Amino acid sequence: MLVTALMILAALAVLIVSCRDNAGQSSTGAQVAGATEDINAIAEARGLTPTDIANAVKTYTPSGRHDEYYLFASGGQSGQVYVIGLPSMRIIKQIAVFTPEPWQGYGYGEQGTMDVLAQGGTAANGNPLTWGDTHHPALSETGGDYDGQFLFINDKANARLAVIDLRDFETKQLVKNPITLSDHGGTFSTPNTEWIIEGGQYAMPLGFEYSSIANYETDYQGMITFWHFDRDKGRIDPEASFAIELPPYWQDLCDSGKLVSDGWVFCNSINTEMATGGVELGNPPFESGASQNDMDLMHVINLKKAAEVAAAGNTTDINNFPVITLDTAIAEGLLYFIPEPKSPHGVDVTPDGEFIVIAGKLDPHVTVYSFDKIMAAIETGTSDTDQFGVPILDFDAVMEAQVELGLGPLHTQFDNKGYAYTSLFLDSAVARWSLGGSFDELNDDPPWTLVTKTPVQYNIGHLVTAEGDTVSPDGTYLVSMNKWAVDRFMPVGPLLPQNFQLLDISAPGANMPVLYDLPIPDGEPHYAQIIKADKISPWDVYPEVGWNPHTQAVNPDAAKQGEERIVRDGNNVEVYMTAIRSHFTPERVEIREGDHVTWHITNIERALDATHGFTIPAYNIHVSIEPGEAVTFEFDATQNGVFSYYCTEFCSALHLEMMGYMLVEPSDSASAATD
Amino acid sequence: MSNQIEKIIGPRAPRGLEDHERRQFHLPNILLGIAAILLLASMFFPYWKMTLKAPQYPGGLSIEVYVNRMTGDVREIDGLNHYIGMRPLGEAAELERAVSLVAVAILVLLVLAAIFIHSPWALLLAVPAILWPFIFIGDMYYWMRHFGLNLDPTAPLSSSIKPFVPPILGSGMVGQFETVATFQIGLWMAFLAVALILAGLFYQRRAYKPLVESGQ
């Protein structure tokens, strides 16, 4: 009896659910007009609605076809960078940056990568730092547009920067900030990438000295560093870089001015309360202590003039790094403050450089400032200062508009139709709103108005639109970088992936649908940038055989075909090896225990994708040798015995045969033999 | 003796002819001249091409053979050929490639010389140029056969790929590779030159033979 009742209930439930499913659709179910019966049958079998099918058609990229855009996303705690294709949302590559990564042979013996990682400095115990917290990638720019040559990214955890060369998508340089504890406001590029901006986050005593937290207001400082990029060398030049000392507020995100505002930099701040925490002592915790003021302070920095001041040597060396002191910055008129609503987040400059948008985070508005008005207010002057003497401009004099969007506005990007897009963390939504000024005529919506909101899943942090922070955004796609996935993917235990969602923003007005979800499996990405695919032209293979990717030139000492050899000089052994499908030359390397071995391998292949890997497992060595590349690694033959080395990247039908033996003769028998 | 030389050189076109009468003496010169130019120019174009198609090479691999050099994916093809024990392509026809430019230049000079020889001896001067494209093909075939049949028996794939002769024209299969061999523009220029030489000699004979027979 009970069973029968349950079955009836179940049948009713099915009926109700199916009726509801049909309610939003035409009476023929998921029929797509003009589609063949087959497609409709597939859609019905998979439970797809016409909207689902439209979304699939917008994103599906057939086998072998390339995407329209590259998306470069920070990898969060993975310390790396993701490369993703749009609109397919296929992950194409992960670029090793701050974290050793075996597939690319990054930090597993290969000398060039070991040197790059070593530039990143050491942990407190003297060991190399082996991870990073990558936040904000910045593509190099020419005239305010992405030029596709270099990518920069910061490590918030240890205040470091990385330079990635987009000819081979490999990290070429790490720079450790000698005067900053952590960074969040980096990396941001000036319109011609002369400067890479790195805003420090948590204030600290100058020069990593010790000072009691009781001395916070006197001994702790904030810092923003301007790294000079030498494009010809493809490297940041620390010798030509400088920093500006700031009050111990927590400087947060920055953006560079462009066009009319070129030469200026805008950074927001939190904790102008200078809270010092201590919840365990009965003090307000940071989260409330740093949220007391109705207004925090946007920092407006005259970078052009600051660079002149630094070049003139009007700086103080801290840890051998030139710093413009706060007093100098004030005296030279390099620094102004503007009130900004309570604990804001992103600060983003519009494509014409005229407006600066601050997202409220704890305030439901975005606040828009006019660069013209800021310049006029600086011209007029002000008597209002903060306690450190930094001039504070009048809010009403420089504010252009405030637009109420919803709860938790964080980051803003732009399109080519006069719209701005702001992520709403608490609302879990993307807001589209209309800009004023010269953007007003680009759409039918009144200026400074919320147009529509699209829910996203869930807790959106950054968002990014196609070339949306350049002088000429594309207005095609938007990616919502969501912090929580909750129920979007199959369960994988308590640690969930992040969720990137692709939105179609090509139509004006209220139509802004989510098209696709991409789970991100090994880190919590923050910011990303989207660049048109044809702006990047990477090498197919390294230009010449014997190439050193760390100098981007042929290494004349690289192992050459026909000149493979093993050279012994006392206890120093040099191995010159070549790799080609399907053998290493030499295939026997006979050395003695206690030898110091320097091993060079050149991949003499010229075919696209003919990469060879190489490992001596017991010595924890693994390198990737791409066509044309020459690598070097060194080790001490501390363990005697017989070891195999082999190709780790399946290269050919005879890949398994691509191996060799390293024979390490025990030192006692070696000495016996020589006796 | 001078009579003998005159016989070899043949008669000269008579002077003071009307335009339409002179045309028959100019035509062979023009045809042979164009043939010589074609032959000379053909050295700058590929004579033969082989394309190798396989799934993992979406653009295919190809090798283009000129009279004195090989271009294209020679390095990659050599790399693949080592699996079946074929010698590097650079070791094929080394002598031929070394002397080919001079040889073709001599052929061209001989054809040009034939313009001034108005007797059957002109044919003898032109014979090397007439045979040239066939010599090229024959030599190609010799080397393809030699390389294809003399594979290193210790090569990794020698048990699965037996000695073979790749087709010099048309398609064949080697392992997963479909090979397609085609004659290229240089060779077609040489063939055209042959046709022009034959036509030139024919018209030359037709123009001058009556002069010989009339006893001039």
Side-chain angles (χ1 to χ4, degrees):
Chain A
M1 190 61 203
L2 184 65
V3 173
T4 316
L6 279 175
M7 281 175 70
I8 290 168
L9 273 175
L12 274 172
V14 167
L15 269 175
I16 290 163
V17 166
S18 55
C19 286
R20 191 184 290 161
D21 274 354
N22 282 335
Q25 301 164 10
S26 64
S27 56
T28 50
Q31 289 271 316
V32 175
T36 66
E37 285 305 309
D38 277 353
I39 291 176
N40 286 318
I42 295 166
E44 198 166 341
R46 299 200 65 213
L48 301 177
T49 66
T51 305
D52 294 335
I53 295 167
N55 292 348
V57 172
K58 281 180 186 174
T59 55
Y60 178 67
T61 304
S63 175
R65 194 175 298 174
H66 292 186
D67 278 301
E68 293 170 48
Y69 291 95
Y70 287 95
L71 177 144
F72 292 95
S74 71
Q77 307 93 325
S78 77
Q80 320 290 45
V81 166
Y82 293 103
V83 186
I84 296 165
L86 256 59
S88 75
M89 299 295 273
R90 294 177 294 195
I91 297 178
I92 305 167
K93 193 171 194 176
Q94 191 180 38
I95 304 172
V97 185
F98 293 105
T99 306
E101 199 284 315
W103 169 56
Q104 293 159 80
Y106 189 74
Y108 289 86
E110 198 276 316
Q111 202 55 56
T113 63
M114 301 301 276
D115 290 347
V116 169
L117 282 165
Q119 293 165 7
T122 51
N125 61 8
N127 291 338
L129 293 167
T130 54
W131 78 288
D133 185 11
T134 53
H135 271 245
H136 307 109
L139 285 156
S140 59
E141 297 178 15
T142 300
D145 245 330
Y146 301 149
D147 56 36
Q149 292 185 358
F150 296 94
L151 182 75
F152 309 90
I153 193 153
N154 69 318
D155 161 31
K156 169 175 168 168
N158 280 292
R160 297 184 292 172
L161 254 57
V163 181
I164 297 162
D165 189 332
L166 294 180
R167 285 175 293 184
D168 59 0
F169 282 54
E170 288 189 0
T171 304
K172 302 302 174 190
Q173 184 186 22
L174 300 186
V175 177
K176 185 161 184 353
N177 195 313
I179 48 170
T180 302
L181 189 60
S182 60
D183 69 38
H184 191 243
T187 54
F188 299 95
S189 168
T190 52
N192 288 302
T193 311
E194 303 99 333
W195 300 101
I196 306 299
I197 302 158
E198 183 192 24
Q201 179 127 68
Y202 304 125
M204 67 162 207
L206 279 181
F208 288 97
E209 298 296 325
Y210 172 81
S211 182
S212 162
I213 192 84
N215 307 325
Y216 187 85
E217 292 186 21
T218 53
D219 286 8
Y220 286 53
Q221 270 82 23
M223 197 71 74
I224 292 182
T225 307
F226 298 92
W227 295 98
H228 177 65
F229 183 61
D230 184 335
R231 197 185 283 260
D232 292 336
K233 291 195 178 121
R235 298 288 188 275
I236 283 170
D237 180 4
E239 301 290 317
S241 305
F242 66 96
I244 299 180
E245 179 200 348
L246 299 166
Y249 313 142
W250 294 349
Q251 286 74 30
D252 197 42
L253 290 164
C254 299
D255 200 3
S256 166
K258 47 172 107 64
L259 300 175
V260 291
S261 52
D262 190 4
W264 292 78
V265 169
F266 310 93
C267 302
N268 56 24
S269 64
I270 52 180
N271 197 18
T272 51
E273 297 85 350
M274 294 185 281
T276 55
V279 64
E280 66 284 357
L281 304 171
N283 296 338
F286 278 116
E287 61 174 319
S288 61
S291 310
Q292 296 305 303
N293 294 348
D294 283 340
M295 289 285 187
D296 283 299
L297 295 169
M298 170 160 62
H299 297 32
V300 177
I301 297 166
N302 188 339
L303 171 58
K304 187 160 176 267
K305 203 166 168 188
E308 290 164 10
V309 169
N314 195 359
T315 53
T316 302
D317 271 9
I318 297 167
N319 285 354
N320 295 318
F321 195 82
V323 176
I324 297 175
T325 63
L326 184 56
D327 289 341
T328 304
I330 295 167
E332 296 284 342
L334 309 181
L335 178 66
Y336 299 90
F337 286 158
I338 295 176
E340 53 182 4
K342 191 164 187 142
S343 302
H345 209 50
V347 47
D348 298 284
V349 178
T350 52
D352 62 354
E354 172 53 30
F355 300 113
I356 298 107
V357 179
I358 293 270
K361 191 168 85 175
L362 302 186
D363 175 290
H365 298 88
V366 283
T367 302
V368 182
Y369 300 86
S370 156
F371 180 71
D372 278 350
K373 290 180 181 174
I374 294 172
M375 288 300 105
I378 289 174
E379 192 70 29
T380 307
T382 174
S383 55
D384 191 15
T385 65
D386 75 343
Q387 73 179 79
F388 300 96
V390 181
I392 300 177
L393 306 180
D394 177 38
F395 177 78
D396 293 322
V398 297
M399 195 270 285
E400 179 76 20
Q402 285 194 301
V403 187
E404 185 169 346
L405 300 181
L407 297 179
L410 293 186
H411 301 280
T412 302
Q413 294 246 299
F414 307 94
D415 71 5
N416 57 350
K417 295 180 281 289
Y419 293 126
Y421 300 83
T422 301
S423 54
L424 301 175
F425 178 80
L426 299 174
D427 278 353
S428 278
V430 172
R432 165 187 269 172
W433 51 282
S434 58
L435 295 166
S438 64
F439 300 99
D440 192 19
E441 61 189 36
L442 297 176
N443 58 56
D444 296 336
D445 296 287
W448 314 123
T449 317
L450 173 65
V451 176
T452 191
K453 284 199 245 182
T454 295
V456 291
Q457 290 75 34
Y458 304 90
N459 290 0
I460 176 175
H462 276 271
L463 54 69
V464 55
T465 59
E467 309 211 345
D469 64 359
T470 71
V471 295
S472 59
D474 284 5
T476 46
Y477 300 107
L478 180 150
V479 172
S480 164
M481 305 171 75
N482 305 314
K483 303 298 187 189
W484 285 23
V486 189
D487 59 356
R488 306 313 281 184
F489 305 109
M490 290 188 290
V492 287
L495 179 61
L496 273 61
Q498 321 296 315
N499 185 18
F500 278 15
Q501 287 182 304
L502 180 71
L503 276 70
D504 177 4
I505 58 165
S506 56
N511 182 13
M512 197 168 66
V514 172
L515 303 180
Y516 195 79
D517 287 18
L518 166 69
I520 297 292
D522 69 348
E524 186 224 298
H526 296 269
Y527 184 44
Q529 287 185 330
I530 301 173
I531 176 174
K532 197 96 170 91
D534 62 12
K535 286 188 177 174
I536 297 185
S537 13
W539 288 324
D540 288 337
V541 296
Y542 280 110
E544 290 175 58
V545 173
W547 198 263
N548 177 353
H550 300 283
T551 57
Q552 297 292 40
V554 169
N555 172 10
D557 298 327
K560 294 181 184 68
Q561 188 173 23
E563 296 175 25
E564 298 90 345
R565 62 200 184 277
I566 300 169
V567 184
R568 172 174 288 280
D569 175 16
N571 277 340
N572 290 312
V573 176
E574 292 220 40
V575 179
Y576 292 86
M577 175 179 270
T578 61
I580 190 169
R581 281 160 290 165
S582 307
H583 57 272
F584 295 107
T585 308
E587 290 186 325
R588 292 180 197 168
V589 174
E590 298 184 52
I591 55 176
R592 293 199 287 266
E593 188 179 347
D595 282 345
H596 179 75
V597 184
T598 307
W599 195 309
H600 314 274
I601 312 177
T602 305
N603 179 344
I604 56 176
E605 304 267 9
R606 301 310 287 147
L608 183 60
D609 214 356
T611 292
H612 297 290
F614 179 90
T615 180
I616 307 175
Y619 282 84
N620 203 34
I621 284 162
H622 184 256
V623 298
S624 168
I625 329 160
E626 289 113 52
E629 185 176 0
V631 299
T632 298
F633 52 86
E634 291 179 48
F635 61 94
D636 290 316
T638 49
Q639 192 183 348
N640 69 52
V642 174
F643 304 88
S644 61
Y645 51 83
Y646 68 94
C647 175
T648 60
E649 181 102 1
F650 204 104
C651 59
S652 59
L654 292 154
H655 162 73
L656 298 180
E657 290 80 353
M658 189 164 177
M659 66 82 66
Y661 283 106
M662 179 176 82
L663 303 109
V664 184
E665 202 179 341
S667 51
D668 48 352
S669 75
S671 56
T674 43
D675 284 347
Chain B
M1 185 65 194
S2 68
N3 193 24
Q4 200 66 23
I5 290 171
E6 264 175 36
K7 226 175 161 182
I8 290 172
I9 294 174
R12 300 294 97 185
R15 292 176 187 280
L17 293 175
E18 297 292 325
D19 275 1
H20 71 277
E21 290 172 309
R22 223 172 17 218
R23 210 171 290 152
Q24 61 167 327
F25 295 103
H26 282 167
L27 180 64
N29 296 355
I30 291 166
L31 291 173
L32 290 171
I34 294 173
I37 292 167
L38 275 174
L39 217 46
L40 193 66
S42 76
M43 292 196 290
F44 302 100
F45 294 94
Y47 267 48
W48 184 84
K49 178 179 183 178
M50 181 177 268
T51 304
L52 292 87
K53 299 175 182 170
Q56 54 274 74
Y57 293 93
L61 294 171
S62 65
I63 174 172
E64 292 191 320
V65 175
Y66 292 66
V67 295
N68 65 330
R69 62 201 164 100
M70 285 178 283
T71 61
D73 303 302
V74 179
R75 189 185 174 110
E76 184 65 11
I77 291 170
D78 277 344
L80 293 167
N81 279 345
H82 99 276
Y83 287 118
I84 61 171
M86 189 179 281
R87 287 160 58 196
L89 298 175
E91 293 178 12
E94 283 177 294
L95 174 69
E96 290 92 320
R97 281 183 281 123
V99 302
S100 61
L101 289 187
V102 175
V104 173
I106 291 170
L107 299 185
V108 169
L109 289 175
L110 289 174
V111 172
L112 290 175
I115 290 175
F116 302 98
I117 305 296
H118 305 148
S119 76
W121 288 98
L123 177 63
L124 192 64
L125 291 177
V127 159
I130 291 166
L131 293 180
W132 164 245
F134 303 100
I135 293 170
F136 177 86
I137 294 169
D139 194 55
M140 276 288 305
Y141 180 75
Y142 165 77
W143 282 107
M144 302 252 298
R145 189 183 154 81
H146 181 68
F147 267 48
L149 293 183
N150 291 285
L151 301 178
D152 179 357
T154 66
L157 298 185
S158 52
S159 59
S160 50
I161 300 203
K162 299 296 175 198
F164 64 103
V165 182
I168 196 157
L169 189 62
S171 56
M173 286 295 291
V174 188
Q176 80 269 41
F177 285 90
E178 184 197 358
T179 65
V180 180
T182 49
F183 293 162
Q184 294 294 297
I185 180 141
L187 192 59
W188 293 119
M189 288 164 82
F191 275 130
L192 184 58
V194 170
L196 292 175
I197 290 167
L198 291 174
L201 292 175
F202 173 78
Y203 287 114
Q204 192 192 55
R205 196 74 201 124
R206 197 162 81 170
Y208 289 94
K209 197 175 178 191
L211 299 182
V212 177
E213 283 169 354
S214 68
Q216 284 190 12

